[in-house]
Amino acid sequence: MTRAIILALVLMTAGGVAQARSDVSPARVRAHLDFLAGPELRGRGSATPDEAVAAAYVASQLQSYGLQRAPGMTGFLQRIPVLRQVQAAPAELLIDGMAANDVTLLRGAGGVWGGKVAVLGHVAPGTKASVLVVPDAAAPSGDIAKTRADLGASVTIVAADANSRRATEASGGRPSLPMSFADEVPGARNATVAVGPATMARLQRQGATAVLSIPFTLSHDVTTNAIAYLPGRDPAAGVLLLTAHLDHLGVGADGTIWPGANDDASGTVALLEIARAMAAGKAPRRGILFVAYGSEERGGFGSRWFGDHPPVPLSQIAANIEFEMIGARVPKLAADRLMMTGYERSDLGAALRAHGALVDADPYPEQHYFQRSDNYALALRGVVAHTVSGYGEVDTYHTPLDTPDRIDGAFMVRAIESLMKPIRWLADSRFTPTWAKGGRPTE
C-alpha cells in the first residue's frame, strides 16, 4: 500500500470522527499520534519530504474542521526554501601532519580548519579534558567559551565518552551540520569532534598543530509550515496564535527511524484537537491562527520564517501558546500538571491558571526551556509567547524509542482537555497578556 493511499485512508477516518464529536477522544488522539509518529512518516525529518507529508496531513485536518486560509495566504501551507550542508565523506583530523583514526564529528560546518592546539581546558564543569584549535594569529584566552566567541570559528576537540555519544544520539545519530534560509549569508561556524584517549594525548603535546577537514555538499530543500485561521467576531480584538512543531529527527545514518511521538507529535495532536473543538463551537471574539511549524529541530526555521512573514501583523497577536511534549508528566509537578516555560516573564500563565489551566512554573530553569522552543522566535519579536509542556527529558528523548506506545496516553488526553476552557476564555476575553518587567527577551 503506497504512502498516498495510507494518508488518504487516515484523513478519511480521522476527518469522519472529527465531524461527530467535539470532546477529546482517546481513540482519535491515538489515531493522529500513530500516523504522525508512525513508520510511514519516517520520523518527519526537518526539511524533508516526510515533513512535508506531515504538514499536508495537519493542513488537511485543519481544513476539514472548517478553518480558513490565513489572511493573505492562497493555501494552508507555507513553504520555506532552505540550504542544507550534507556531509559528503568522513571528517579527517591531521595532528602534526599525521591522520587520527578515531575521530567522530559531532557538529560543525563543512570546510577546513587548522592551527595550533592553543587552549587546554574543559567545555563544561565535570567534563573530561578538551582542546581548542585556533588560528595561528589568534590570541586565545584561558576561557574556551570566550575564545570561541572571540574567534567566530574554531574547532573544539573533546574526549570520546558517554556525553559525546549522547550528543550524536541527540542529533539523530548523525553529525549536526548547518542549515540556513536560502537567501541568508551563513555566519562563522564552529566544529566539535570527539577523539579517543591516544589521539587526545597527541593533541596535548606542547606545540601540536591540527587540521580538521569536513567534506560537504549543499542541498536545496524546503521546510513547511501548516497554517489555518479561525476568524473572530471582533476584528479589533487581535489574534491568538496557537502552535506546535511537526518535525523531528527523521532517519539516522544507520537507517533507524526516530519517530518523535512525544517530541513533538504529541503537541501537534494537541493543536489539532484544540482547533477542532474551537471550530465546532461559537466563533471566538479573537481570531485564532493555528500553526504547525517545520524544522524546529534544526534551528527553529519554521517559527523564525513565520515571525518574519506573518499573515497578520505581529502587533495584532495578543499571545502565542506553543504545545510541546505533552506525552509524559513532569516529575517535579503534581501528576495532572503541565509546565509553562518562562512563566514568570509575563502575566499569561497566572491568568490561564485563574481560569482553570493546570499549568505551573517551569521547575527546571537551568535547562532554559523557554529559549529552546518555537515560542522564543515570537518572544524575541515582542509577542508574549510561552510553551506549555509535559516532561521532555524522559529516557526516550531524542532516541528511536520515542514511539506512540511509550506515550502516557491518559495524561496526554487530560492535558489537552485541561487546556480547552482556558484557551476558549482567552480567545473570548478582553484580557491582553503583557510582559513582566524585564521579562521580554532581547537576544
Side-chain angles (χ1 to χ4, degrees), residues 261-346:
N262 192 36
D263 182 17
D264 184 32
S266 66
T268 303
V269 174
L271 183 75
L272 288 172
E273 281 295 278
I274 292 168
R276 181 192 50 77
M278 295 296 293
K282 178 183 176 182
R285 178 172 176 267
R286 290 183 165 117
I288 306 178
L289 277 169
F290 297 92
V291 184
Y293 297 122
S295 291
E296 187 267 357
E297 298 287 359
R298 291 297 303 271
F301 283 86
S303 57
R304 287 162 53 199
W305 181 271
F306 178 90
D308 289 338
H309 304 85
V312 300
L314 294 182
S315 59
Q316 294 182 15
I317 297 179
N320 167 217
I321 302 173
E322 171 99 353
F323 309 109
E324 181 150 15
M325 295 186 288
I326 62 168
R329 64 169 295 268
V330 184
K332 288 188 176 182
L333 298 180
D336 60 349
R337 295 282 164 165
L338 294 162
M339 65 181 184
M340 175 177 279
T341 66
Y343 184 95
E344 69 289 344
R345 289 174 174 264
S346 81

Side-chain angles (χ1 to χ4, degrees), residues 38-43 50 172-174 249-259 400:
E40 282 297 317
L41 288 196
R42 294 161 34 94
D50 303 308
R174 62 183 57 189
L249 299 176
V251 182
D254 62 355
T256 301
I257 294 173
W258 300 58

Side-chain angles (χ1 to χ4, degrees), residues 49-323:
D50 303 308
E51 180 198 76
V53 173
Y57 174 79
V58 171
S60 296
Q61 292 295 301
L62 295 173
Q63 188 175 3
S64 77
Y65 305 154
L67 301 182
Q68 300 180 13
R69 292 188 296 271
M73 291 187 61
T74 58
F76 290 83
L77 297 175
Q78 191 177 49
R79 296 180 177 88
I80 306 155
V82 294
L83 190 63
R84 187 209 309 255
Q85 285 193 10
V86 180
Q87 189 176 3
E92 181 182 59
L93 178 66
L94 300 178
I95 305 169
D96 296 330
M98 299 291 291
N101 59 7
D102 56 357
V103 178
T104 301
L105 176 64
L106 303 181
R107 64 186 63 85
V112 179
W113 288 267
K116 292 181 179 179
V117 179
V119 179
L120 303 179
H122 302 268
V123 175
T127 61
K128 294 182 179 179
S130 61
V131 301
L132 187 69
V133 179
V134 300
D136 293 346
S141 72
D143 184 321
I144 277 190
K146 183 177 187 304
T147 301
R148 289 185 68 159
D150 290 344
L151 291 173
S154 61
V155 178
T156 301
I157 305 176
V158 300
D161 59 11
N163 290 327
S164 65
R165 290 190 291 274
R166 182 67 183 121
T168 299
E169 292 172 357
S171 62
R174 62 183 57 189
S176 177
L177 269 68
M179 191 164 79
S180 62
F181 293 119
D183 60 353
E184 183 179 34
V185 177
R189 302 282 186 174
N190 297 307
T192 303
V193 298
V195 300
T199 297
M200 182 59 74
R202 290 171 59 194
L203 286 162
Q204 296 188 51
R205 289 201 300 258
Q206 185 173 0
T209 62
V211 177
L212 176 70
S213 300
I214 305 174
F216 71 99
T217 59
L218 291 175
S219 178
H220 291 266
D221 297 317
V222 172
T223 193
T224 310
N225 293 339
I227 303 175
Y229 183 60
L230 180 63
R233 303 189 309 271
D234 182 0
V239 172
L240 180 61
L241 174 63
L242 302 180
T243 59
H245 76 86
L246 51 80
D247 67 308
H248 193 56
L249 299 176
V251 182
D254 62 355
T256 301
I257 294 173
W258 300 58
N262 192 36
D263 182 17
D264 184 32
S266 66
T268 303
V269 174
L271 183 75
L272 288 172
E273 281 295 278
I274 292 168
R276 181 192 50 77
M278 295 296 293
K282 178 183 176 182
R285 178 172 176 267
R286 290 183 165 117
I288 306 178
L289 277 169
F290 297 92
V291 184
Y293 297 122
S295 291
E296 187 267 357
E297 298 287 359
R298 291 297 303 271
F301 283 86
S303 57
R304 287 162 53 199
W305 181 271
F306 178 90
D308 289 338
H309 304 85
V312 300
L314 294 182
S315 59
Q316 294 182 15
I317 297 179
N320 167 217
I321 302 173
E322 171 99 353
F323 309 109

Side-chain angles (χ1 to χ4, degrees), residues 1-27:
M1 188 180 292
T2 67
R3 183 182 302 179
I5 294 174
I6 292 174
L7 176 60
L9 289 173
V10 173
L11 285 172
M12 291 169 62
T13 302
V17 173
Q19 295 300 317
R21 302 182 65 179
S22 61
D23 59 335
V24 181
S25 158

